[in-house]
Amino acid sequence: MHTDKAGPLSRVVNVDRLPQGRGSVTVEASPAEAEALARDFKIPAIRDLVGRFDIAGSLNRLRVTGTVEAQVTQVCSVTLEPFESKVSEPVEVEFTDTDQLAGTDAEDADVPDPIVGGRLDFGALTAEFLALGLDPYPRKPGVSFEPVQAGEDPNPFAALQQLRDEKR
């Protein structure tokens, strides 16, 4: 989520205020933030959304690892009934200072996510990894998808085929 506009969950941290070498950030979504995210994700509900991040590296290059966890209510793609499930998504992202890349070939290469203006939005990171952890085709536990089998309806041209075969 690399937009200038903050989403429903935003926790901007100035990188220069993070402890050098190692640090951690925890993001806990308020009920209003979780409700707004649920609307954005088009699911009935999100509860207990927490992102826990460990940070290592320097001001110019940070490595963020951790987990995003939440209780979510989704609608079963088979039965269309709402059900609850737990999401636990691992996080592993590298960030780099965009000023270092300006005017270099690395601007177009596959490089770490940018640190924009010396700041990282750990709320947006939490929302992004929650979205990654959601099943796009959720199924209620114990429900399986059974493909619809075509019935034994006779082919309307079967009689013609039979007549043709008899003439040969």
Side-chain angles (χ1 to χ4, degrees), residues 112-132:
D113 287 351
I115 298 171
V116 180
R119 298 156 28 130
L120 289 179
D121 188 341
F122 284 92
L125 191 65
T126 301
E128 183 177 350
F129 277 87
L130 174 62
L132 289 172

Side-chain angles (χ1 to χ4, degrees), residues 53-122:
F53 307 103
D54 291 317
I55 302 145
S58 67
L59 291 177
N60 297 329
R61 192 164 185 104
L62 291 174
R63 180 182 155 108
V64 177
T65 57
T67 57
V68 170
E69 295 181 326
Q71 279 295 128
V72 298
T73 303
Q74 290 185 279
V75 175
C76 179
S77 60
V78 177
T79 66
L80 303 181
E81 296 172 325
F83 70 98
E84 296 230 338
S85 64
K86 184 172 177 68
V87 172
S88 182
E89 185 69 13
V91 175
E92 188 173 332
V93 187
E94 292 217 11
F95 291 91
T96 191
D97 187 345
T98 53
D99 295 338
Q100 286 189 322
L101 302 177
T104 69
D105 291 339
E107 277 185 319
D108 300 322
D110 186 21
V111 294
D113 287 351
I115 298 171
V116 180
R119 298 156 28 130
L120 289 179
D121 188 341
F122 284 92

Side-chain angles (χ1 to χ4, degrees), residues 8-11 28-38:
L9 183 60
S10 182
R11 299 289 190 283
E28 293 186 42
S30 71
E33 290 167 329
E35 187 178 316
L37 274 176

